[in-house]
Amino acid sequence: MSEQATSAIHAAYDNREGQGTMAVPIYQTTAYEFGSAETAANRFALRELGNIYTRLNNPTTGVLEGRFAEVEKGAAALVTSSGAAAVFYAIANLAASGENILLANKIYGGTLSLTQYTLKRFGIETRVFDPQDIKTVEPLIDDKTRAILFESISNPSIDIADFEPIVEIAKRHKIATIVDNTVATPYLFLPFDWGVDVSVHSLSKYTSGQGLGIGGVIVERNGLNELLIGNPRYPHFNEPDPSYHGLIYAALPFPLFTLRARLSLARDIGAIPAPFSSWLFIQGLETLALRIVKHSENALTIAKWLKSHPKVQSVNYPLLEGDKNYAYAKKYLRGGASGLVSFDVGDFEFAKRILNSTKIFSRVVNIGDSKSIITHSGSTTHQQLNEKEQEAAGITPGLVRLSVGIEDVRDLIADLAQAIG
Ligand SMILES: *Cc1c(COP(=O)(O)O)cnc(C)c1O
C-alpha cells in the first residue's frame, strides 16, 4: 500500500488497461451486458464479482471507493449519494427497530435530526453522550445497543472526541463504533489507527473541495469481520438473509460491512451517486492532501489574529493554545486541525453586521470549499432551536463561524479586519 497522497492519485485505476486514458473515465451507464446467462446468474449469486446494475456498482464510483478506502487505510468503501445517506446506511447496517445507538452530543445537525426524528419513527432509539466526558458512555449501553456514533472534529461546534476511552468501552461490549470524519479528512485523522470500526464522510465538503456536488462514503477497517461474525448483537450478518436466498454474510470472504450495505441497503434504498459526481470527487481527492494543509494553516493564522482582536470575545480553534480541545488535538490530529474557526463578538446585531460586510468570505451554509465561507449559526442553521437548545449546541447570539478557504491568508485577514471594524 502506498502513502496516502500517492493512493489518492493512483489507487484502484490502471491506465494501461482500457483506452489508456490518464483521467479516470466516466462510465455514465445504468446497466451492463453480462455476456452470457451463466455469467448473469453467477454475478447475482456472488459466485463471480462483476457489474450488475449501477444501483449496486459502477466502475467510476468503484475507483473512488477503492481510492478512498486506501487513503483512509481501510478495507473497503461504499460511496453514497450524500453524507447524510452515508450516516443513515452506517446506522441502518447495524441497528433495527427496538434497538438503540449512542450518539455524541456534539454532532452535525442533519445527523441529529436523522436520529432524533426519522430513525425514531423507525423504532431505533438514540441515547446521547458527551464524547469528552467518558463516564457518560457506559451507563447508556445495554444488550440492545448496536452502534456508538461520534465526530472526530465536530461540525459546527469544532470539538474533538476523546477516542481512546470511547473505543475501549465499545470493544469491551463488542459494539461497533462509527466516526464521522468529514471535517478532519483521512489526512488529519486516521480513525482505524485508533481502533474505530467504520468511518463516514460527506464528500461534498473537503473531498470535493470546490463545492461541486453532494456525495458521501462509508469505509470499514481491516478486520472488522471479526467483530461482526458470531456477535449476538448482529444476527443479520450471521443468519440466512431471506432477501438474498438465504445468503449468510458471515460465510463470505469479503469485508462484510460495506458488502451488506451495498447488497442490502443500496439495493433497497438506492441512495447512490451519479457516476459524474463520483468523477468530480475523484478529481477533488487528488489534491485533498495539499488543500487540507493549507486550510489548516490559514485557519490557525486567522484564529490567532482573531484572538488578539479587541472586539472579539472568544475564539474556538482546536490547535489554538488554551483552547479546550488543545490536548485532544495534539493527541489525535496529525498536521493540522482543518478549516473551521468560530468566534464570538457578543451580540446578534454585531455578528450580522460582520456577515453583511465581508467581501471575500461568502455567506453560505457549507464547509470545506476552497472559497472562504462565513455563517451566523443563530439566524440560519440553528434558527429553529430555542434559546436553551442553542446554548446546549454551543450557539450564542454573537457566534460567527468560518470555513476558512485556501486563498492568501493576508487577504482573508484584511477582509475580516474591515468587516469587524
Ligand atoms: C455536511 C455534513 C454531513 C452531511 O453531508 P451531505 O453531503 O451534506 O449530505 C454529515 N456530517 C458532517 C460532519 C457534515 O459536515
Side-chain angles (χ1 to χ4, degrees):
M1 209 181 256
S2 312
E3 296 298 324
Q4 284 179 291
T6 309
S7 301
I9 295 173
H10 293 288
Y13 177 68
D14 186 346
N15 62 15
R16 288 160 300 194
E17 288 177 0
Q19 301 295 321
T21 58
M22 283 294 281
V24 175
I26 305 172
Y27 288 97
Q28 189 71 46
T29 184
T30 306
Y32 309 87
E33 159 72 29
F34 294 115
S36 73
E38 291 73 25
T39 302
N42 282 339
R43 286 190 192 169
F44 270 88
L46 301 180
R47 281 190 295 270
E48 193 179 295
L49 293 183
N51 298 324
I52 296 177
Y53 188 67
T54 283
R55 176 147 39 78
L56 294 170
N57 50 4
N58 174 275
T60 306
T61 302
V63 172
L64 177 60
E65 290 169 339
R67 279 191 187 172
F68 208 96
E70 218 171 294
V71 170
E72 196 151 62
K73 302 188 187 295
L78 174 73
V79 170
T80 59
S81 58
S82 66
V87 175
F88 172 71
Y89 280 2
I91 297 170
N93 211 22
L94 294 167
S97 174
E99 300 173 342
N100 66 73
I101 63 160
L102 270 49
L103 181 75
N105 60 359
K106 317 253 175 23
I107 203 88
Y108 178 66
T111 302
L112 197 64
S113 52
L114 166 70
T115 51
Q116 307 268 325
Y117 299 100
T118 301
L119 289 180
K120 187 176 171 194
R121 283 173 52 83
F122 291 180
I124 297 173
E125 185 202 342
T126 299
R127 301 175 176 182
V128 176
F129 69 98
D130 182 344
Q132 296 182 338
D133 183 4
I134 212 60
K135 63 182 186 303
T136 62
V137 179
E138 208 153 15
L140 301 177
I141 293 175
D142 62 21
D143 62 355
K144 295 284 184 203
T145 304
R146 296 294 177 263
I148 303 178
L149 170 57
F150 51 108
E151 291 173 5
S152 40
I153 303 176
S154 61
N155 176 19
S157 72
I158 328 179
D159 287 303
I160 295 171
D162 191 6
F163 281 87
E164 213 166 30
I166 298 173
V167 168
E168 190 270 319
I169 290 170
K171 289 210 183 305
R172 197 145 31 80
H173 291 272
K174 292 193 182 326
I175 298 168
T177 43
I178 305 168
V179 69
D180 185 331
N181 203 26
T182 298
V183 178
T185 82
Y187 289 104
L188 304 182
F189 180 69
L190 276 172
F192 309 132
D193 278 5
W194 292 94
V196 171
D197 296 313
V198 174
S199 79
V200 296
H201 296 256
S202 167
L203 299 175
S204 328
K205 314 290 172 55
Y206 289 99
T207 302
S208 159
Q210 297 171 56
L212 297 177
I214 301 283
V217 65
I218 302 173
V219 189
E220 70 178 285
R221 72 168 167 88
N222 284 293
L224 178 58
N225 287 4
E226 288 158 32
L227 175 74
L228 300 172
I229 294 173
N231 189 335
R233 292 190 192 269
Y234 308 114
H236 50 299
F237 281 93
N238 293 286
E239 292 168 3
D241 182 350
S243 82
Y244 221 103
H245 50 67
L247 175 88
I248 299 175
Y249 284 98
L252 297 172
F254 305 114
L256 297 178
F257 189 87
T258 43
L259 183 73
R260 189 184 179 281
R262 184 185 303 282
L263 295 183
S264 174
L265 298 172
R267 177 195 64 186
D268 298 348
I269 293 156
I272 55 97
F276 182 66
S277 297
S278 296
W279 185 83
L280 290 173
F281 299 131
I282 288 169
Q283 311 317 310
L285 188 59
E286 287 197 356
T287 57
L288 178 58
L290 293 173
R291 285 185 286 106
I292 199 67
V293 171
K294 184 73 171 166
H295 281 290
S296 302
E297 284 172 3
N298 280 359
L300 181 59
T301 305
I302 288 174
K304 285 179 177 164
W305 177 81
L306 285 167
K307 203 178 174 187
S308 69
H309 196 292
K311 291 188 185 164
V312 174
Q313 297 183 349
S314 62
V315 183
N316 298 309
Y317 189 68
L319 278 173
L320 199 59
E321 249 171 279
D323 190 273
K324 65 184 190 305
N325 288 284
Y326 188 73
Y328 295 132
K330 283 284 185 197
K331 178 171 178 180
Y332 295 117
L333 302 184
R334 320 174 312 151
S338 199
L340 302 189
V341 177
S342 66
F343 61 101
D344 202 321
V345 292
D347 77 276
F348 196 86
E349 289 309 314
F350 188 18
K352 278 203 303 195
R353 242 182 8 256
I354 293 170
L355 254 85
N356 286 334
S357 310
T358 57
K359 296 185 170 68
I360 297 176
F361 281 83
S362 301
R363 290 140 291 266
V364 171
V365 283
N366 188 19
I367 60 165
D369 199 315
S370 295
K371 305 171 257 313
S372 288
I373 288 168
I374 188 164
T375 311
H376 182 240
S377 307
S379 60
T380 55
T381 53
H382 293 67
Q383 183 199 81
Q384 275 96 21
L385 304 185
N386 62 38
E387 212 163 291
K388 229 178 160 170
E389 290 170 323
Q390 288 205 356
E391 201 183 293
I395 308 297
T396 48
L399 191 75
V400 175
R401 195 190 64 176
L402 306 176
S403 171
V404 177
I406 60 174
E407 301 95 335
D408 192 307
V409 73
R410 290 169 295 191
D411 291 321
L412 297 179
I413 286 176
D415 192 29
L416 291 172
Q418 63 80 26
I420 297 171

